[in-house]
Amino acid sequence: MLAFPQFDVNWLALPEGHHRRKEWVQAMAEVTLTWLNDGGSVDIWLKHYQLVRQYALQSAWVHYIPEQILPHLQYIRFGSGGRGEDSLYSDLDYAIVTTGRVNREDVFEALHRFVRGMVDFGFPPCQGFVMGTNPRWIGSIVDWKRRIEQYLNYPDWENVRYLCMMIDGCPLFNFEAWGSIASLAYEGIRNSPFICWEMAHLGIHNTVPLSRFGHVQTERIEDVEYFQIKEGLINPVVHAVRLLAIVYQVQHLNTRERFMALVTGGQLAEDLASRVQLALTYGWQLRLRTQATDVLRGTVPTDKIAWSTLTEAERTLTIQHLRAVRELERFVHRMFRKPR
């Protein structure tokens, strides 16, 4: 039975709350390692953990945002949070939709307090600055629709990346208007062969770290070879499946649900989907083990693992899964030809 330790929302206000939150994250790491070592399902872990993350976000949001401003802001989760696939230490990717009655200056300080407070809960700031403190990721409904229109009219690679991020957006609280915003990006991508080609060729192609001879391509940092778990194994799957979901009008955000819909609709071969999902499960397991181990060691959790720490059997299994993901990558690459 998976039972995560409970935390007290009062820790947000107590002077010693900083230490309490860190102790809680360590307890979460211990439970996670025990669960995985006992053969527990990653999918069950993800399902239960998303509820914990949501509760932490909602509690902190209400705590840090002043009461007079709160009704004018809607928090939109992006990335793995929007898809319901957050790991133990996933980035704080989010956007803000305002009523138009407050401006960025009114909320800037409160948003920064919120971001700082979430670090202790295992929400590091987004390295790509996809957060409401960035002017690009905050605005009224009118602002957002105008922004999307601009991205679609000038679809360079940077703008295409922003559009694709919006597809995985999910409101933290009930906010039906987000659907009309996201649908503009969704339909814009789906109806643009050029944008689909960009994502397939610039965002997915050659992202699986396998050489032409089938060897894993690691990254050397201070004489240590590291395997990039998220960038090399998880992201190629997530991005490829998202692109297929957009093209075939699959409305699900969760990668597992997207897989199921694509197989059911006949757009993705069941055998390939099955092997890639096993690879995704393996990637999630490896990432969780690595992050939990880092937390318990007192080091900053990362998405990479020293290649030398894997056993020979684990290295073989990693290569096997990467080959399956490479098949999906090539399938998507061949599917989207550059428009003439």
Side-chain angles (χ1 to χ4, degrees), residues 99-335:
T99 59
R101 297 175 185 174
V102 294
N103 56 41
R104 181 170 173 265
E105 290 69 28
D106 296 328
V107 302
F108 188 77
E109 185 178 342
L111 290 178
H112 272 284
R113 286 200 304 270
F114 166 75
V115 171
R116 289 193 297 269
M118 293 312 297
V119 172
D120 294 337
F121 278 123
F123 291 80
C126 176
Q127 295 181 4
F129 204 14
V130 181
M131 298 188 293
T133 48
N134 183 340
R136 187 183 295 277
W137 299 106
I138 185 171
S140 65
I141 292 176
V142 173
D143 293 331
W144 275 99
K145 290 184 176 181
R146 184 185 301 116
R147 191 174 291 155
I148 291 171
E149 183 178 354
Q150 291 171 347
Y151 293 160
L152 291 171
N153 288 335
Y154 187 70
D156 64 2
W157 174 230
E158 185 176 29
N159 287 345
V160 167
R161 287 177 57 243
Y162 297 149
L163 289 167
C164 289
M165 290 177 194
M166 294 177 198
I167 302 302
D168 289 344
C170 180
L172 182 60
F173 301 94
N174 184 41
F175 181 54
E176 294 182 1
W178 174 251
S180 65
I181 297 172
S183 66
L184 291 177
Y186 182 95
E187 293 299 327
I189 296 172
R190 189 174 70 83
N191 292 314
S192 172
F194 179 74
I195 290 179
C196 291
W197 170 84
E198 270 194 293
M199 177 45 89
H201 288 248
L202 302 182
I204 299 168
H205 183 51
N206 284 336
T207 55
V208 180
L210 278 180
S211 71
R212 60 166 53 182
F213 301 108
H215 302 305
V216 173
Q217 297 172 313
T218 54
E219 179 184 5
R220 178 178 288 272
I221 303 176
E222 297 181 352
D223 294 328
V224 178
E225 299 292 338
Y226 288 95
F227 171 62
Q228 297 288 349
I229 305 168
K230 181 183 176 183
E231 295 299 325
L233 178 53
I234 297 174
N235 279 358
V237 176
V238 170
H239 295 167
V241 172
R242 179 177 60 197
L243 179 57
L244 293 174
I246 294 170
V247 171
Y248 291 114
Q249 302 184 65
V250 174
Q251 300 298 322
H252 300 293
L253 300 187
N254 182 268
T255 303
R256 289 277 199 226
E257 294 176 351
R258 284 170 170 170
F259 261 118
M260 188 178 301
L262 290 168
V263 171
T264 301
Q267 291 93 18
L268 193 58
E270 186 172 354
D271 174 67
L272 176 58
S274 177
R275 286 185 289 115
V276 174
Q277 286 195 79
L278 288 175
L280 183 61
T281 297
Y282 176 77
W284 281 336
Q285 287 176 330
L286 197 59
R287 188 184 188 198
L288 283 175
R289 287 183 188 278
T290 301
Q291 291 186 346
T293 301
D294 287 340
V295 168
L296 295 177
R297 286 176 178 168
T299 58
V300 178
T302 67
D303 289 320
K304 60 180 180 289
I305 186 170
W307 185 247
S308 61
T309 62
L310 297 178
T311 66
E312 192 63 36
E314 288 172 331
R315 294 184 193 181
T316 300
L317 188 59
T318 300
I319 293 172
Q320 174 185 321
H321 287 314
L322 286 174
R323 286 173 178 165
V325 178
R326 171 64 64 81
E327 283 188 52
L328 177 65
E329 176 204 275
R330 288 176 172 170
F331 171 77
V332 172
H333 181 255
R334 290 192 300 267
M335 181 176 174

Side-chain angles (χ1 to χ4, degrees), residues 4-188:
F4 286 124
Q6 298 296 312
F7 68 87
D8 190 338
V9 294
N10 293 320
W11 294 346
L12 292 165
L14 292 174
E16 68 274 18
H18 170 74
H19 301 291
R20 296 278 185 89
R21 295 196 293 270
K22 285 202 167 185
E23 290 172 354
W24 175 78
V25 171
Q26 290 180 328
M28 294 289 287
E30 291 176 353
V31 169
T32 298
L33 278 181
T34 299
W35 176 259
L36 295 176
N37 290 337
D38 290 344
S41 164
V42 170
D43 288 289
I44 291 178
W45 186 96
L46 284 170
K47 179 181 178 180
H48 286 265
Y49 187 62
Q50 304 317 302
L51 298 176
V52 174
R53 295 276 282 194
Q54 179 174 308
Y55 180 58
L57 276 173
Q58 290 177 335
S59 300
W61 184 248
V62 173
H63 173 78
Y64 286 110
I65 305 303
E67 188 175 350
Q68 67 271 22
I69 298 177
L70 205 55
H72 299 289
L73 305 179
Q74 287 291 341
Y75 185 103
I76 311 298
R77 302 178 71 177
F78 279 167
S80 58
R83 294 189 301 272
E85 298 163 0
D86 265 352
S87 67
L88 199 61
Y89 212 75
S90 289
D91 286 356
L92 188 68
D93 299 339
Y94 75 98
I96 299 294
V97 180
T98 75
T99 59
R101 297 175 185 174
V102 294
N103 56 41
R104 181 170 173 265
E105 290 69 28
D106 296 328
V107 302
F108 188 77
E109 185 178 342
L111 290 178
H112 272 284
R113 286 200 304 270
F114 166 75
V115 171
R116 289 193 297 269
M118 293 312 297
V119 172
D120 294 337
F121 278 123
F123 291 80
C126 176
Q127 295 181 4
F129 204 14
V130 181
M131 298 188 293
T133 48
N134 183 340
R136 187 183 295 277
W137 299 106
I138 185 171
S140 65
I141 292 176
V142 173
D143 293 331
W144 275 99
K145 290 184 176 181
R146 184 185 301 116
R147 191 174 291 155
I148 291 171
E149 183 178 354
Q150 291 171 347
Y151 293 160
L152 291 171
N153 288 335
Y154 187 70
D156 64 2
W157 174 230
E158 185 176 29
N159 287 345
V160 167
R161 287 177 57 243
Y162 297 149
L163 289 167
C164 289
M165 290 177 194
M166 294 177 198
I167 302 302
D168 289 344
C170 180
L172 182 60
F173 301 94
N174 184 41
F175 181 54
E176 294 182 1
W178 174 251
S180 65
I181 297 172
S183 66
L184 291 177
Y186 182 95
E187 293 299 327

